[in-house]
Each structure stands twice: as C-alpha cells, then as structure tokens.
Amino acid sequence: MSTQHPSSTPGEPERASSPGGGLKALFDFNFDTFVTPSIVKIVYVIATVLVALLTIGFAISGLTTMFRGGAGVVLGFLLLLASPIIGLVYLAFVRMSLELYYAVIRLSEDVHHRGRL
C-alpha cells in the first residue's frame, strides 16, 4: 500500500520541495519526484565558478604565451583578449541548458496539474 500526499494524483511526480525532497529525492530511483527545480541554482553556481576558473586559466595561458616571444606575443595577446568572450559564451550555454531543463520540468508539472482540473 502506497501513501500519497493529498495534492498528488496517481502517477504524478511530486515537487522536490515536498517532504522527502532534497537529497532523498536525488536518490529516488522510481523518479517520483522532480529534483531539477531544487538543484538548478546549485548547479549554476558551480558551473559559474568552473567557467570563471577556465577563463582565468585561458588568460594565464595567454600571458605565458606572450612572454615566450616571437609570434607567441601576438597569439598570447589574442588569447588574453578572447578569454573573457570565451568565458561568457560558455556561461551562456550553461545558462541556456539549465533553463531548458527547468522549462521542461515546469511544463511537465503544468500538464500534470491541468489534468487534475
């Protein structure tokens, strides 16, 4: 016999903010709970930090290439100028991907909610 919350219908995933959400929902192998809305902010913060470190790494690589001399001065300077642009592009792709996942979950929740009306 399964227990259901009053607001849920059979076969409808619950929101991660309900009791049993969070870490417990992450290990729900029946996929009865949507985890994406609760972890999307954490994933975005981690991705932002990683993209910032990547951007700093590109800038340092550009500086070290500049100090090698020869044609490396121009290539290093170009990499130094391009590193913030590369970082912004990566961050934009991460943000768009996370928004897509979040939108799909919200759409699914809305479809399940509309079926109860």
Side-chain angles (χ1 to χ4, degrees):
M1 183 170 166
S2 65
T3 59
Q4 296 234 352
H5 296 288
S7 64
S8 64
T9 59
E12 178 187 346
E14 302 168 16
R15 294 189 64 122
S17 59
S18 66
L23 194 58
K24 184 176 179 184
L26 192 60
F27 294 105
D28 176 21
F29 293 107
N30 291 327
F31 293 93
D32 293 329
T33 307
F34 289 131
V35 164
T36 304
S38 64
I39 66 170
V40 73
K41 293 176 186 177
I42 297 166
V43 171
Y44 187 62
V45 168
I46 292 170
T48 302
V49 169
L50 291 176
V51 167
L53 292 173
L54 177 77
T55 303
I56 292 169
F58 279 146
I60 290 172
S61 177
L63 284 173
T64 56
T65 305
M66 281 176 62
F67 290 117
R68 289 186 183 162
V73 173
V74 175
L75 292 174
F77 184 71
L78 289 175
L79 184 57
L80 188 63
L81 288 178
S83 61
I85 297 168
I86 293 169
L88 287 175
V89 169
Y90 271 113
L91 193 60
F93 279 124
V94 167
R95 177 70 185 218
M96 288 185 290
S97 299
L98 290 174
E99 285 180 2
L100 175 68
Y101 296 138
Y102 190 74
V104 168
I105 296 299
R106 293 285 305 262
L107 180 64
S108 178
E109 287 176 343
D110 290 344
V111 166
H112 286 297
H113 177 70
R114 190 177 301 256
R116 287 189 284 157
L117 295 177

